Amino acid sequence: MPEQVRALGAFYGLALGDAMGMPTQAMSRNEIARQYGRVRTLLAANSEQPVAPGMAAGSVTDDTEQAVLVGRLFVEGAGHIDPLKFADALRRWEADMVRRGSLDLLGPSTRRALDLLAGGARPDAAGSGGDTNGAAMRVTPIGIAVRPGDDLVDAVVEASQVTHNTSLGIAAASAIAAAVSAGVDGGGLADALDEAERAAERGARHGHWVPGGEISPRIRWARQWVRGMDRASVADAVASVIGTSVAAQESVVAAIALVEALGDDPMAVLTLAAEVGGDTDTVAAMCGAILGAQHGLTGFPADLLDTVRRVNDLNLEPLVDDLLRLR
């Protein structure tokens, strides 16, 4: 499969996963089952949705929009992201979201970092408390633009430091970027997830140390545990034990566990990710990015991809071509 097809699969897979999880985000597993039943396709958010009430089926959230922002900045910087330009771009993005009437604004780590920057903090210090999944959710363009290895982790550090300059935040983002990058390179799923483990271990050596279960060993444990489980057992394992909160060591590990268990069927992964509760849009987006790099665009239903493109006026082909030129 050509590199471009895998790269497009990764970016559009992220967007599709994001849209699959949009109507169920920030809800419990039981509440999702009560309000929506089984999630089998793109759904509109109902009026009880706590973050995106009434959003149209196929709408993406901050995961996709911030990933596009990161990709554009990485291209403009010829493979580098200036932290102050990134901070300014995030502020402008949030202001635009407010104008649109959205409640889906900056996450807790990013908000805290931008407030610290506004108060005079250095860019490398602003993200010293960022231990959530915000860097991981938007790092797919780095995985498309940089091959696996130390250069990839260095690029992830640069893209993460202003908001998530911690051992957990960088390790989590490194894992997702590496799984995407290895897939774009043509590696199989097992190899890509092995690369995610290795990158998380390297990424944990960067940033400010923060307490919490380390990403790489948690990925290794989760992969071994869920391997061979059926759909119902995986759902229980992810929702009840691994966790799906915004904490990096929960949602990022949850995404990789879902991919490990059910990765031969991308839509089975995305629909389950949308049902397990918690940060469903981000978990499903990360799953979609990893699996898109494996299966390409044909791994997802064409009608659902067309809906996501149309509803969000999303045209990722030029950006993906620019990212691949950096690769």
Side-chain angles (χ1 to χ4, degrees):
M1 187 187 304
E3 192 175 63
Q4 184 193 39
V5 174
R6 290 176 175 271
L8 285 169
F11 220 143
Y12 277 113
L14 180 150
L16 177 59
D18 184 13
M20 292 291 301
M22 175 276 295
T24 61
Q25 62 182 312
M27 297 170 64
S28 73
R29 187 181 175 193
N30 288 339
E31 195 63 14
I32 292 167
R34 184 185 72 79
Q35 294 190 32
Y36 296 102
R38 287 285 300 274
V39 177
R40 300 179 186 275
T41 187
L42 293 167
L43 300 173
N46 63 25
S47 60
E48 296 182 55
Q49 217 304 308
V51 180
M55 283 188 73
S59 299
V60 300
T61 76
D62 57 333
D63 300 72
T64 303
E65 295 197 1
Q66 290 189 28
V68 170
L69 187 155
V70 166
R72 288 173 176 164
L73 287 173
F74 201 65
V75 169
E76 290 172 9
H80 297 280
I81 292 180
D82 180 278
L84 295 180
K85 286 184 178 179
F86 187 24
D88 183 60
L90 287 169
R91 290 191 191 94
R92 286 186 279 108
W93 172 84
E94 184 176 51
D96 183 58
M97 293 292 279
V98 170
R99 282 193 295 271
R100 286 188 265 167
S102 175
L103 301 176
D104 202 358
L105 304 177
L106 295 172
S109 295
T110 301
R111 164 53 52 211
R112 181 170 58 247
L114 295 188
D115 288 345
L116 287 170
L117 275 177
R122 300 189 319 274
D124 62 337
S128 61
D131 57 359
T132 54
N133 59 21
M137 77 177 192
R138 59 193 182 218
V139 80
T140 289
I142 307 299
I144 292 172
V146 185
R147 297 191 186 278
D150 290 339
D151 287 347
L152 174 66
V153 174
D154 289 345
V156 171
V157 171
E158 191 174 86
S160 305
Q161 67 171 340
V162 73
T163 58
H164 293 80
N165 194 17
T166 66
S167 52
L168 289 178
I170 292 171
S174 296
I176 299 301
V180 170
S181 183
V184 172
D185 252 4
L189 185 58
D191 291 337
L193 299 186
D194 287 346
E195 190 61 45
E197 286 185 31
R198 290 190 289 268
E201 185 176 359
R202 290 194 292 268
R205 301 170 193 156
H206 297 270
H208 298 262
W209 179 83
V210 288
E214 293 186 12
I215 304 297
S216 183
R218 279 183 59 81
I219 291 173
R220 188 174 308 116
W221 156 74
R223 290 179 65 196
Q224 293 169 350
W225 183 37
V226 304
R227 198 170 291 147
M229 282 186 182
D230 60 21
R231 189 182 193 279
S233 299
V234 174
D236 289 340
V238 168
S240 302
V241 180
I242 296 173
T244 57
S245 76
V246 299
Q249 68 267 41
E250 289 197 3
S251 49
V252 170
V253 177
I256 290 178
L258 289 167
V259 168
E260 173 70 44
L262 304 172
D264 288 341
D265 186 346
M267 285 308 297
V269 175
L270 297 193
T271 55
L272 183 54
E275 292 177 7
V276 293
D279 200 2
T280 53
D281 57 326
T282 296
V283 173
M286 294 186 292
C287 290
I290 295 170
L291 291 174
Q294 291 291 319
H295 297 270
L297 290 173
T298 58
F300 307 109
D303 60 327
L304 300 189
L305 290 172
D306 288 344
T307 297
V308 171
R309 288 188 181 100
R310 174 179 52 78
V311 169
N312 303 284
D313 193 22
L314 198 61
N315 177 25
L316 297 173
E317 280 79 359
L319 178 56
V320 166
D321 287 345
D322 288 341
L323 290 167
L324 286 175
R325 276 190 280 273
L326 291 174
R327 191 178 185 91

